Amino acid sequence: LFPSPCVVTFVAMAGGEGEKRVMKTRVFFRWAGPVAMQAERIKVVGNCAELGKWSVADGIPLTRVDGCRGCWSTPSGVLLPLNQELEYRYAICSDSTGEFLRWEPWQDEPRFAVATGRRLVLEDDSGKGRSADEDAESAAPTVVTVAAGSRTASPTLAPLKSPTASPRGESNMGLRGKTRSMDITSLAEVNSSDKAFLVFRNLPVSVKQGSDGEWQVEKISHSAGTALPLLKHFTQSGPNKPPPGEAIDVQVKFIGNPGVCVDDEGEQKKLTELLAKHACIPVFINKDQMDNHNTFSEDYLWPVFHNMKIFDATVTGDHLTESFDKQLWKSFMAFNNAYAEVITTHGDKETLVWIHDYELIMVPRYVYHRCPDWTTGLFLHCAFPSTEVMRCLPVREEILQSMLSGRIVTFQIFDYLRHFMSCCSELLGARHSFQKGGILQVEHESRSVVVFADHFCIPYNHLVKKLSDEKVLERAKSIKDQFKGKTIVGSYDSCDCFAGIALKLRIFHRFLSEYRQYQKRIVLVQYIRAPTGGTKRRGMIDMDELHEMAAKTNKAFGYDAVTIVVEEITREKTLGVMLATDILLDTSTNAGLNLGPFNFYAAHSQDQKGVVIISEFSGCSSVLTGAFKINPWNTGAVLTALDQAMSIQPDDQKIRFTKDHSYVSTQTLVHWVQKNLTEIKVTRSNINSVTRLCGFGGPSHLDKEDVVEAYKAAKKRVIFLDNEGTIAQQAGWKIQSSLRLRKQGEPPDPKVLDCLQSLIKDRGNTVVVLSGREKEIMEDWFHSVDGLGLCAEHGFHRCLPGTLRGSNTEMWESQLVFDDNQEWKDIVLELMKQYVQRVQGSIVEPKACAISWNYREVGATGVVDDLALELARFLDPKDPKGLLYGYPVKVVNGKGYVEVKRSDIDKGTSAVQILQELGQVDFVLAVGDDRSDEDMFEAIANYFANLAVPDAPPSMAGSAKSSEAVMRKGVNASVASLCSSFEGSPLTSPPMSPKLTAKNRVSFSEVDSDPSLAGSSVQIKAPSAKWFTATVGRKNTKAKHFVADVDEVSQLLEKLARSSVVSSFSRFSSMPMIAMEGDTLTDSEEEDAEDQDRILNRSTTATTRLGALTRK
């Protein structure tokens, strides 16, 4: 079997009226063998109708393959049902008469195959007739329409060509092109029409004021820790635009602080206009705010993000800063808010906003509050802490929520991403999910935020060109001359405790003590970046202590074995040091990425020499596989690595160097920028049309104006709403006992309750809130909303809405349980008790129709998720080996819980039941956020799909035109007799609640006026109801649309409520409710009836309008 490599999807056959959906596989048969005479031909015969059912006369003929002796094929292929098991044989027949002569030789038994995929080639010719460049038409999607009871011939394809017709490479190129089209980023790649803001703390230019008072803008030199000058260089346009391959082809503007404090508004305007010529937008910050921001960033965020418990004096040794400074935090937020204000002032919805590093970590939150639809991304250049350290920060929730306020969060390596997801899970209760295409997301506040790992890249080509610079060569030569004849172990580090410099000096001292053969043959040259600013920040190392350690080593071994150089770093100095270094030694205890090894490989790109020893705690260790990796705390392992580096053989050194150099040389800064901007662009909400091209389509954003328009045009409407996470904020949890877990949520905001009441006052509206809560809680929260329908425990208990509630109806009614097998509850309860004993913090929650095992409060949710998955599989009622096999239940593995419930109880069943009891409706809105709401979305979609079947006699309730018929009392033809003529119709649905019996129904007023209608059914057109399903947050869903969050749901309800208030000025703008015969009307209701009769008597149409009066 040789399935075509070009086929990656199945194509569902879609038919028109009276046709059925068919999934087909196009099967090509190929055969090769000796044929005695030229007057013979080959047929393929099989056990299916398409292959003649073993009738040779009805078999499919094969044709000769040109240029391939003895090869035969079916050039058009045969369409067979997908997954069809078939037996077949090749028959040799007479070419002139078609008479069967014999079966193929050497094959006594029938062949066997299964039709899989969109296109399948059965190579019974040992591959002789295989074509390298089969016509593209044969690889195109095949859509076949099969009418009922008919058989459609296969469309003609291009004839099979000789296997030598073209080189194999052409087919491979086509395959690569098709495979690339599956990548979303290739379809949404940024280009010159895209606008982007690159937001850094500082601008990539230097600003100063001349003696004449005029502002001057100059380029700044490259320094370690920032790539701003290079980014500025690669984004230039016009005559200064870099050559192809080195240019970032996007309309980029930089946003940041100009480096000077300007308080005068006039001067700020001048400087802004000047910086605009350099594609820069300044953010003006006063000096006090700037100082406070820097202090908070350096003393709190920077050490915490590098896994330091800053409030533990036993760790930091600082007893003066054990408390959190709220004033610094306020200044930090004000600083970030200023950036957000500039971003939203100068940008628009189409601008891609890329925010960089922890100093601006609150900017995404402020941008989101101002413009929730904007596309923002955050790139964190530093490390990210574990949950244990992050939870010590008093503002941990605010920081995590801000990071999740953008569309995408990017980290240097996947390990930091893992820490982030763990923090979100344990501190915010946010879980992660996967999307097609390998996209990882975090779900929070009903939003889906993409998380991504992609480390920063050096400008390799740019650095290689710099190697010929005189400053670089002179610096390298001076170092070589200073330590002539010795192996130089070097490094460039920052002056902080995470660089591990003190640890490195102690290790090197011990190395010289234990490996005496290397004494006076090796030196350690430690370069340290000079600290900026005059104050010492938390985590900075004591330079005097380092010099003392170096002097001690030099004295002990009688030569300058250790040299410490503190200097300001430039690009030329860095390359010069790396070019002179023989062994790069990194002993970092926590480094975000560490670009030192990358610069080392770039500096030695010509001589291909040098050895790298890197710490496992540096981010670059996860991508540089040729370097020696060490645990700097394991002194013995570091000494061994140094010995191996000193004695390495040339061949081994070359292999290790080439492995990492080939990686570093292909990762460019330009590609990194374009890739990250493309990832941000992909997350834009209007990218759904692109993702659908790849099969990654998701729901579209719900257009509130479309909903309001459909709402106004409708006469009979139904609104289904979930509670927590939809109209109320998501609930927390509180343990009440070893077997009880109670949600500690709040009812919806009073404004939302007022909106619900306004909607219910419109007599054409039915509003229902569905929840998994107990009925007592639902009643307590919504008792103030008169006429609201409630479904508790996903519909097991329900309080009918006012439109369905009769005079004698009790407040709550429950589903019948006479067929409920209680045995499954005992089994599940006993099993879940075992899980409670083994998973500390988990709880069993029994309900009337379900039992849940909840582990939301368990710390190690990542581990317990796997345990929950195994529990769900063990309880799967569809698995013959499952514990609940054969029981009428279903298992739901949700976020933080595993629930076993009756298979006939869910929100979807409850929603459809209400729709059927209401009869024909012409507007439905359903909004929810949880897994249980997916049942509702699917059920509503299926409900209206069934109503849309053409040519079926509709019921009175299913008619979109039924509201045109006037219902009045005292008419001979009854609704009961009319509905009876529609029984058995696939579109028939109960026209009203079962509480309203036939004797209580009202009847048509105009039916007996037309004799042709007497005793026969009235043909009414199929319904044309507008229905909307929306999930809260962007995610995989069965809903057609999504809304951003709870606030957007509230805004939508307010719009609908205002529409109801406006329409209330016209008493008959919505369809009134049906009243019982024999019910006593109030005076106001009688006046309404008289008014309605006068209006109906003035009508000139012969149609009737469905009407009723509300009960008191």
Side-chain angles (χ1 to χ4, degrees):
L1 299 181
F2 179 70
S4 170
C6 297
V7 177
V8 294
T9 59
F10 297 152
V11 179
M13 306 302 143
E17 185 174 316
E19 298 169 351
K20 58 182 180 180
R21 296 172 61 86
V22 180
M23 300 189 73
K24 290 282 187 176
T25 299
R26 185 177 296 280
V27 181
F28 295 84
F29 294 87
R30 296 179 182 175
W31 181 83
V35 179
M37 301 172 55
Q38 291 292 331
E40 293 178 346
R41 63 179 179 177
I42 309 298
K43 283 188 175 183
V44 59
V45 186
N47 62 342
C48 58
E50 290 82 357
L51 299 180
K53 289 190 175 181
W54 296 117
S55 172
V56 176
D58 296 330
I60 304 297
L62 279 68
T63 60
R64 298 179 186 273
V65 178
D66 295 337
C68 186
R69 183 179 178 81
C71 294
W72 300 71
S73 71
T74 53
S76 301
V78 182
L79 290 175
L80 299 178
L82 181 66
N83 294 326
Q84 170 76 47
E85 297 181 356
L86 64 140
E87 295 180 357
Y88 66 98
R89 296 187 70 178
Y90 294 98
I92 302 176
C93 306
S94 171
D95 191 17
S96 57
T97 63
E99 179 183 359
F100 171 74
L101 300 179
R102 62 188 180 279
W103 292 110
E104 59 178 316
W106 310 304
Q107 187 71 28
D108 297 332
E109 299 294 332
R111 301 175 187 267
F112 176 81
V114 179
T116 59
R118 191 184 67 182
R119 182 175 178 272
L120 182 68
V121 180
L122 300 178
E123 288 193 328
D124 299 317
D125 59 351
S126 301
K128 293 181 180 179
R130 187 182 301 172
S131 172
D133 62 340
E134 294 181 7
D135 195 281
E137 184 180 357
S138 65
T142 304
V143 180
V144 178
T145 299
V146 181
S150 66
R151 176 178 173 180
T152 303
S154 303
T156 302
L157 299 182
L160 188 66
K161 298 180 181 180
S162 170
T164 59
S166 67
R168 192 75 177 174
E170 294 182 13
S171 177
N172 291 337
M173 287 299 294
L175 175 60
R176 284 195 294 268
K178 290 180 175 62
T179 304
R180 183 176 182 272
S181 66
M182 297 297 295
D183 181 13
I184 296 179
T185 58
S186 66
L187 300 177
E189 196 168 353
V190 291
N191 50 55
S192 58
S193 62
D194 290 309
K195 298 179 295 182
F197 284 168
L198 270 59
V199 186
F200 291 85
R201 183 178 66 172
N202 298 317
L203 290 174
V205 293
S206 175
V207 177
K208 63 180 181 180
Q209 195 169 22
S211 57
D212 56 353
E214 296 295 326
W215 293 104
Q216 300 176 2
V217 178
E218 300 176 352
K219 295 181 180 180
I220 58 176
S221 61
H222 174 75
S223 61
T226 177
L228 283 175
L230 291 173
L231 287 175
K232 183 68 175 65
H233 169 73
F234 291 133
T235 56
Q236 292 183 105
S237 58
N240 297 324
K241 185 175 182 178
E246 295 186 8
I248 300 174
D249 194 20
V250 182
Q251 301 177 39
V252 172
K253 290 186 178 181
F254 292 87
I255 294 180
N257 185 259
V260 292
C261 295
V262 182
D263 297 327
D264 183 73
E265 293 184 1
E267 295 298 322
Q268 289 182 0
K269 184 177 180 181
K270 290 181 181 180
L271 186 54
T272 301
E273 294 174 352
L274 180 61
L275 288 171
K277 300 177 182 179
H278 298 268
C280 294
I281 303 175
V283 181
F284 297 104
I285 306 292
N286 62 61
K287 188 177 185 307
D288 292 339
Q289 194 177 78
M290 176 70 72
D291 293 340
N292 290 336
H293 169 270
N294 294 341
T295 301
F296 184 86
S297 299
E298 296 171 357
D299 285 358
Y300 290 95
L301 291 186
W302 181 82
V304 166
F305 277 32
H306 287 80
N307 263 333
M308 176 186 285
K309 292 186 175 180
I310 59 176
F311 301 112
D312 188 351
T314 61
V315 176
T316 63
D318 187 358
H319 294 270
L320 299 178
T321 58
E322 293 185 34
S323 60
F324 183 75
D325 194 329
K326 293 183 179 180
Q327 292 302 320
L328 292 179
W329 168 243
K330 291 181 179 179
S331 296
F332 181 83
M333 290 192 296
F335 182 95
N336 281 252
N337 188 33
Y339 277 73
E341 184 177 358
V342 172
I343 292 170
T344 54
T345 300
H346 292 82
D348 54 39
K349 187 178 179 180
E350 301 300 320
T351 305
L352 305 176
V353 182
W354 194 16
I355 303 164
H356 287 260
D357 224 0
Y358 65 95
E359 296 114 333
L360 304 179
I361 203 166
M362 294 301 296
V363 173
R365 191 65 171 176
Y366 289 114
V367 173
Y368 176 73
H369 283 167
R370 286 179 168 85
C371 306
D373 293 334
W374 280 35
T375 308
T376 61
L378 174 67
F379 188 95
L380 211 59
H381 290 262
C382 64
F384 196 83
S386 63
T387 308
E388 180 184 2
V389 176
M390 189 66 180
R391 69 168 68 248
C392 298
L393 194 62
V395 291
R396 61 194 187 186
E397 287 87 358
E398 289 85 344
I399 290 176
L400 292 175
Q401 287 172 351
S402 179
M403 296 178 69
L404 292 174
S405 295
R407 299 286 180 83
I408 183 172
V409 185
T410 311
F411 300 88
Q412 295 278 19
I413 60 174
F414 196 85
D415 201 37
Y416 304 149
L417 183 151
R418 179 175 58 85
H419 287 170
F420 174 72
M421 290 194 302
S422 177
C423 290
C424 291
S425 175
E426 298 194 23
L427 302 179
L428 297 181
R431 301 302 177 90
H432 67 272
S433 62
F434 293 92
Q435 301 292 331
K436 293 181 180 179
I439 300 174
L440 182 59
Q441 298 181 153
V442 174
E443 310 288 343
H444 178 61
E445 291 184 343
S446 302
R447 303 176 67 247
S448 299
V449 182
V450 177
V451 287
F452 186 57
D454 184 34
H455 68 79
F456 179 81
C457 299
I458 63 171
Y460 177 82
N461 296 330
H462 186 80
L463 294 180
V464 170
K465 293 178 181 178
K466 277 286 182 181
L467 292 176
S468 58
D469 190 289
E470 292 184 1
K471 294 181 180 179
V472 175
L473 296 176
E474 290 178 1
R475 180 67 184 273
K477 185 177 183 302
S478 65
I479 297 173
K480 287 283 189 181
D481 293 341
Q482 182 180 355
F483 305 102
K484 190 173 183 179
K486 296 180 177 62
T487 300
I488 300 176
V489 179
S491 182
Y492 240 137
D493 296 296
S494 56
C495 58
D496 59 67
C497 59
F498 302 113
I501 299 177
L503 187 61
K504 185 187 302 183
L505 296 182
R506 285 194 292 267
I507 290 174
F508 191 76
H509 184 100
R510 183 173 170 180
F511 177 76
L512 293 177
S513 300
E514 297 187 10
Y515 294 83
R516 298 182 179 181
Q517 68 270 26
Y518 296 126
Q519 292 181 11
K520 297 187 179 181
R521 292 175 49 193
I522 186 173
V523 294
L524 173 63
V525 184
Q526 177 64 58
Y527 291 88
I528 302 176
R529 185 175 61 202
T532 57
T535 59
K536 180 180 178 180
R537 69 180 186 183
R538 183 179 299 176
M540 289 181 62
I541 55 179
D542 189 344
M543 298 301 301
D544 294 335
E545 180 183 353
L546 294 182
H547 285 293
E548 289 178 5
M549 295 176 66
K552 181 180 178 180
T553 301
N554 295 340
K555 181 179 180 181
F557 299 103
Y559 76 105
D560 292 337
V562 178
T563 302
I564 297 178
V565 180
V566 182
E567 63 181 7
E568 291 185 359
I569 298 178
T570 64
R571 188 184 312 133
E572 292 77 15
K573 289 181 179 180
T574 302
L575 286 176
V577 170
M578 293 299 172
L579 186 57
T581 300
D582 299 309
I583 300 175
L584 180 69
L585 178 59
D586 167 44
T587 56
S588 302
T589 58
N590 199 322
L593 180 63
N594 191 359
L595 293 175
F598 292 86
N599 292 324
F600 181 85
Y601 285 115
H604 289 273
S605 60
Q606 297 177 1
D607 59 21
Q608 299 283 302
K609 294 182 179 180
V611 181
V612 176
I613 303 174
I614 56 177
S615 169
E616 295 174 353
F617 303 106
S618 289
C620 61
S621 65
S622 63
V623 295
L624 299 179
T625 58
F628 289 100
K629 298 180 183 178
I630 58 170
N631 177 0
W633 304 107
N634 187 346
T635 304
V638 181
L639 298 181
T640 301
L642 279 171
D643 179 42
Q644 291 175 340
M646 288 292 293
S647 59
I648 191 171
Q649 295 299 315
D651 291 342
D652 188 18
Q653 181 274 329
K654 184 176 181 181
I655 292 173
R656 287 178 172 273
F657 185 93
T658 303
K659 185 183 295 186
D660 286 342
H661 178 263
S662 61
Y663 175 81
V664 173
S665 61
T666 56
Q667 306 297 311
T668 65
L669 180 63
V670 173
H671 175 72
W672 175 76
V673 173
Q674 291 180 330
K675 179 181 179 181
N676 279 268
L677 288 177
T678 298
E679 291 289 344
I680 297 174
K681 182 178 178 180
V682 167
T683 62
R684 187 184 294 167
S685 60
N686 62 5
I687 207 66
N688 289 328
S689 59
V690 176
T691 58
R692 289 193 185 97
L693 296 177
C694 299
F696 305 152
S700 60
H701 188 268
L702 182 65
D703 191 325
K704 292 189 284 290
E705 298 304 323
D706 289 347
V707 177
V708 173
E709 182 179 353
Y711 177 89
K712 292 180 178 179
K715 297 298 180 182
K716 193 173 183 181
R717 319 177 189 94
V718 184
I719 300 175
F720 296 107
L721 299 169
D722 177 43
N723 189 25
E724 282 93 356
T726 302
I727 59 175
Q729 294 297 332
Q730 194 62 262
W733 293 83
K734 178 182 179 181
I735 298 176
Q736 291 186 326
S737 67
S738 60
L739 289 178
R740 191 67 173 171
L741 185 72
R742 181 182 180 85
K743 280 187 177 180
Q744 294 299 299
E746 297 293 335
D749 187 91
K751 293 183 179 179
V752 175
L753 297 178
D754 291 341
C755 289
L756 296 179
Q757 190 66 75
S758 298
L759 290 170
I760 294 172
K761 286 182 179 179
D762 190 319
R763 292 175 294 180
N765 289 345
T766 299
V767 184
V768 182
V769 176
L770 305 97
S771 174
R773 292 293 197 123
E774 294 85 351
K775 63 180 182 180
E776 293 80 11
I777 298 178
M778 296 286 289
E779 185 175 352
D780 179 55
W781 284 359
F782 295 99
H783 71 276
S784 62
V785 185
D786 187 29
L788 177 67
L790 299 174
C791 289
E793 296 189 24
H794 304 309
F796 185 78
H797 305 289
R798 67 173 191 166
C799 172
L800 291 175
T803 51
L804 293 177
R805 197 180 304 165
S807 58
N808 298 323
T809 302
E810 297 181 0
M811 178 66 179
W812 287 94
E813 64 178 29
S814 301
Q815 298 292 335
L816 297 178
V817 294
F818 62 86
D819 60 340
D820 189 19
N821 189 336
Q822 297 296 317
E823 185 179 3
W824 68 267
K825 291 185 178 180
D826 299 334
I827 296 173
V828 174
L829 185 61
E830 288 301 319
L831 178 62
M832 288 185 174
K833 284 182 180 179
Q834 301 300 318
Y835 279 75
V836 170
Q837 294 177 5
R838 288 168 172 77
V839 181
Q840 186 180 19
S842 63
I843 298 295
V844 174
E845 183 185 15
K847 298 180 181 179
C849 63
I851 299 179
S852 300
W853 177 59
N854 295 279
Y855 57 94
R856 288 175 172 88
E857 297 300 317
V858 177
T861 53
V863 177
V864 186
D865 281 340
D866 296 334
L867 190 62
L869 182 60
E870 289 302 317
L871 174 61
R873 291 174 179 172
F874 187 52
L875 293 173
D876 187 2
K878 299 179 182 178
D879 186 358
K881 298 181 180 179
L883 193 63
L884 297 180
Y885 180 67
Y887 286 98
V889 298
K890 59 182 177 181
V891 180
V892 179
N893 188 6
K895 294 182 179 180
Y897 70 92
V898 175
E899 184 177 60
V900 182
K901 60 182 180 180
R902 287 180 50 178
S903 57
D904 59 338
I905 301 296
D906 56 51
K907 289 185 180 180
T909 304
S910 302
V912 170
Q913 185 177 3
I914 291 174
L915 289 174
Q916 291 175 340
E917 293 175 0
L918 285 171
Q920 186 271 329
V921 297
D922 42 9
F923 174 88
V924 174
L925 171 66
V927 188
D929 77 306
D930 197 6
R931 169 63 186 85
S932 60
D933 299 306
E934 298 297 319
D935 297 328
M936 176 173 62
F937 301 148
E938 182 179 20
I940 291 176
N942 293 336
Y943 176 80
F944 284 101
N946 293 334
L947 291 181
V949 178
D951 290 340
S955 68
M956 176 196 69
S959 170
K961 301 296 184 180
S962 62
S963 59
E964 300 295 331
V966 181
M967 297 195 67
R968 299 172 62 183
K969 298 181 180 180
V971 194
N972 296 331
S974 67
V975 174
S977 62
L978 181 63
C979 292
S980 65
S981 65
F982 295 149
E983 292 180 357
S985 167
L987 281 185
T988 300
S989 60
M992 54 193 68
S993 171
K995 301 293 181 181
L996 304 179
T997 58
K999 67 179 182 179
N1000 289 4
R1001 297 175 183 170
V1002 291
S1003 56
F1004 283 108
S1005 61
E1006 303 294 343
V1007 172
D1008 57 349
S1009 64
D1010 187 351
S1012 64
L1013 297 178
S1016 63
S1017 62
V1018 179
Q1019 297 297 322
I1020 310 175
K1021 293 184 179 180
S1024 57
K1026 295 289 186 180
W1027 57 279
F1028 303 86
T1029 54
T1031 185
V1032 182
R1034 292 172 297 181
K1035 51 181 174 283
N1036 273 346
T1037 179
K1038 295 177 182 177
K1040 296 196 299 182
H1041 310 282
F1042 77 90
V1043 292
D1045 48 28
V1046 175
D1047 293 336
E1048 187 170 355
V1049 178
S1050 301
Q1051 294 170 8
L1052 175 60
L1053 294 178
E1054 289 178 6
K1055 282 180 174 288
L1056 298 181
R1058 285 197 296 267
S1059 299
S1060 296
V1061 172
V1062 172
S1063 63
S1064 66
F1065 288 103
S1066 175
R1067 182 174 296 167
F1068 307 100
S1069 60
S1070 295
M1071 178 180 23
M1073 298 175 355
I1074 299 174
M1076 301 283 197
E1077 289 187 8
D1079 289 339
T1080 304
L1081 304 180
T1082 63
D1083 294 340
S1084 61
E1085 288 172 334
E1086 290 179 350
E1087 293 176 1
D1088 288 346
E1090 293 174 0
D1091 291 342
Q1092 184 177 14
D1093 287 340
R1094 285 194 295 270
I1095 294 175
L1096 296 176
N1097 290 334
R1098 288 197 299 266
S1099 175
T1100 58
T1101 63
T1103 59
T1104 59
R1105 179 179 301 275
L1106 183 64
L1109 304 174
T1110 184
R1111 293 185 50 81
K1112 181 177 179 181

